[in-house]
């Protein structure tokens, strides 16, 4: 179950901090996830302390951490410091979309629309490859840019057209990003308009969470030798994994269903029996308990072990067959 209340988020943050102590090699993604939960719990000072702790070392993604710290600082009254950090991130010209999007959405959420549009546009010019496949993270960045430009009543340009083409939902981007869409539908109630803006901001928040936290919704993949060993040791799990072929089919079907429901940032995590047994012991449970499997997947993903799904065009299939994804499970 996903955390829902501030107390739930605090509890999850504490669990992630304990896990970081057990797996120091995965400390950075675990602390980032813990900081996100602390923000959602309203413990923003503690979240800032975690960001500072990471930045004091040699983090893999310093610009991502700085942008998250700036967004958090601004939310509890440290606007000047947040602005200074944002300026520094923009000058550093990140080569990944996440820091740009966090910076731009932070400016947008505080009604700095012109500055947000400038950050989005700078990122699009730097990162969007002309004529090449656009990753999910870049699609999200282009959608955010489209949204801000729509709010500023700016005319479409090439990047806006690209965002439109990549958008597959039923509601077109122009309608989705129209701040006055309820008026266009015939509403004359300001309360409804405010509710719509609140809904859009909530949607933006979920997009930002999915993008900025390296924590995909992940599905377990047991390589065939590992699955054989697992079922030999714990036959109670045969109902979950009747055959290896069925296991692979279920992975692809589950991920496609999640994608069709709009779930972003999907991934696959490789499982091993020793790792699973160690996890079960840390949870004071038996590996034969099937309820432990999704928790194991979540913990592996939080440790940064997930591989994004679907694979890039031309890449090998996630199943390990050695064939291209498009000619294997992606067919």
């Amino acid at each position: 179950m996903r955390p829902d209340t501030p107390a739930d988020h605090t509890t999850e943050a504490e669990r992630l901090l304990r896990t970081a102590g057990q797996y120091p090699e995965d400390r950075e993604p675990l602390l980032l996830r813990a900081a996100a939960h602390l923000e959602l719990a309203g413990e923003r000072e503690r979240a800032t302390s975690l960001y500072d702790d990471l930045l004091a070392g040699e983090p893999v993604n310093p610009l991502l951490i700085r942008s998250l710290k700036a967004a958090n600082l601004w939310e509890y009254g440290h606007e000047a410091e947040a602005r200074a950090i944002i300026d520094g991130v923009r000058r550093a010209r990140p080569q990944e979309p996440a820091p740009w999007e966090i910076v731009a959405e932070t400016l947008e959420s505080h009604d700095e629309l012109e500055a947000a549009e400038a950050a989005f546009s700078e990122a699009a010019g730097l990162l969007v490859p002309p004529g090449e496949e656009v990753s999910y993270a870049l699609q999200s960045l282009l959608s955010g840019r489209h949204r801000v430009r729509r709010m500023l009543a700016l005319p479409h340009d090439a990047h806006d057209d690209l965002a439109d083409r990549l958008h597959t939902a039923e509601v077109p981007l122009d309608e989705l990003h129209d701040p006055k869409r309820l008026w266009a539908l015939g509403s004359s109630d300001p309360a409804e308009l405010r509710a719509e803006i609140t809904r859009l901001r909530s949607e933006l928040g979920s997009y930002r969470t999915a993008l900025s936290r390296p924590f995909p919704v992940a599905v377990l993949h047991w390589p065939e030798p590992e699955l054989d060993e697992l079922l030999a040791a714990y036959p109670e799990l045969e109902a979950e994994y009747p055959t290896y072929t069925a296991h692979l089919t279920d992975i692809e079907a589950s991920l496609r269903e999640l994608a069709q429901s709009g779930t972003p940032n999907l991934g696959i995590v490789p499982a091993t029996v020793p790792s699973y047994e160690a996890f079960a012991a840390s949870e004071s449970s038996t590996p034969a308990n099937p309820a432990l499997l999704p928790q194991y997947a979540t913990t592996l993903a939080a440790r940064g072990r997930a591989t994004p799904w679907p694979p890039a065009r031309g890449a090998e299939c996630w199943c390990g067959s050695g064939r291209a994804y498009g000619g294997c499970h992606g067919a």
Side-chain angles (χ1 to χ4, degrees):
M1 182 179 295
R2 293 184 178 181
D4 190 36
T5 67
D8 290 337
H9 285 293
T10 299
T11 299
E12 181 63 11
E14 298 294 350
R15 187 187 74 81
L16 289 164
L17 290 171
R18 290 195 299 274
T19 304
Q22 294 173 327
Y23 303 100
E25 70 275 16
D26 299 319
R27 183 171 177 269
E28 184 170 328
L30 288 166
L31 291 193
L32 284 177
R33 187 64 181 168
H37 281 289
L38 289 173
E39 288 187 37
L40 292 169
E43 299 185 46
R44 294 192 174 275
E45 292 87 348
R46 283 190 68 195
T48 296
S49 295
L50 287 185
Y51 294 137
D52 287 337
D53 188 13
L54 285 168
L55 291 169
E58 297 181 356
V60 175
N61 297 304
L63 295 177
L64 172 64
I65 299 168
R66 290 183 187 280
S67 60
L68 289 169
K69 178 182 175 182
N72 182 51
L73 284 169
W74 203 327
E75 290 298 324
Y76 70 108
H78 296 269
E79 178 183 341
E81 186 178 355
R83 285 182 181 277
I85 294 172
I86 285 172
D87 290 343
V89 170
R90 291 180 65 182
R91 285 195 300 271
R93 294 172 64 81
Q95 296 302 304
E96 298 292 333
W100 285 108
E101 187 156 3
I102 295 164
V103 160
E105 288 187 354
T106 300
L107 293 165
E108 178 190 357
S109 67
H110 293 281
D111 297 323
E112 303 275 350
L113 295 183
E114 289 82 3
E117 195 278 333
F120 271 128
S121 294
E122 187 177 354
L126 180 67
L127 301 178
V128 177
E132 295 183 22
E133 188 171 349
V134 178
S135 67
Y136 172 79
L138 285 174
Q139 290 180 40
S140 183
L141 186 144
L142 288 170
S143 179
R145 180 180 182 276
H146 184 289
R147 178 183 63 248
V148 171
R149 289 172 60 82
R150 188 79 173 86
M151 294 170 71
L152 290 169
L154 295 173
H156 271 208
D157 61 7
H159 282 141
D160 290 324
D161 293 338
L162 177 58
D164 282 330
R165 291 197 300 274
L166 295 170
H167 181 71
T168 57
E170 243 179 71
V171 180
L173 278 184
D174 274 342
E175 182 180 346
L176 181 66
H177 293 160
D178 184 358
K180 297 182 178 179
R181 59 185 285 203
L182 283 183
W183 294 112
L185 294 172
S187 172
S188 59
D189 185 356
E192 290 184 358
L193 179 58
R194 285 195 294 270
E196 176 68 6
I197 292 172
T198 299
R199 187 194 68 78
L200 287 172
R201 284 181 173 169
S202 174
E203 183 181 22
L204 296 179
S206 65
Y207 273 123
R208 177 192 160 193
T209 299
L211 176 75
S212 63
R213 273 53 171 183
F215 190 67
V217 176
V219 176
L220 282 177
H221 171 218
W222 295 91
E224 190 168 13
E226 295 291 338
L227 185 60
D228 290 344
E229 182 181 344
L230 178 76
L231 297 180
Y234 310 103
E236 300 90 338
L237 297 177
E238 286 182 359
E240 301 292 323
Y241 308 111
T243 67
Y244 181 64
T245 300
H247 172 47
L248 297 184
T249 301
D250 286 345
I251 291 173
E252 184 71 23
S254 298
L255 289 167
R256 291 191 184 201
E257 183 178 348
L258 287 167
Q260 289 170 3
S261 70
T263 304
N265 207 16
L266 300 172
I268 298 175
V269 284
T272 67
V273 173
S275 168
Y276 179 55
E277 289 175 333
F279 174 76
S282 72
E283 295 291 316
S284 302
S285 181
T286 169
N289 179 9
L292 207 61
L293 294 167
Q295 298 176 38
Y296 175 53
T298 296
T299 299
L300 289 177
R303 292 170 57 195
R305 299 303 176 88
T307 301
W309 180 93
R313 182 180 298 173
E316 288 188 6
C317 187
W318 53 264
C319 72
S321 66
R323 296 155 58 195
Y325 173 67
C328 192
H329 282 88

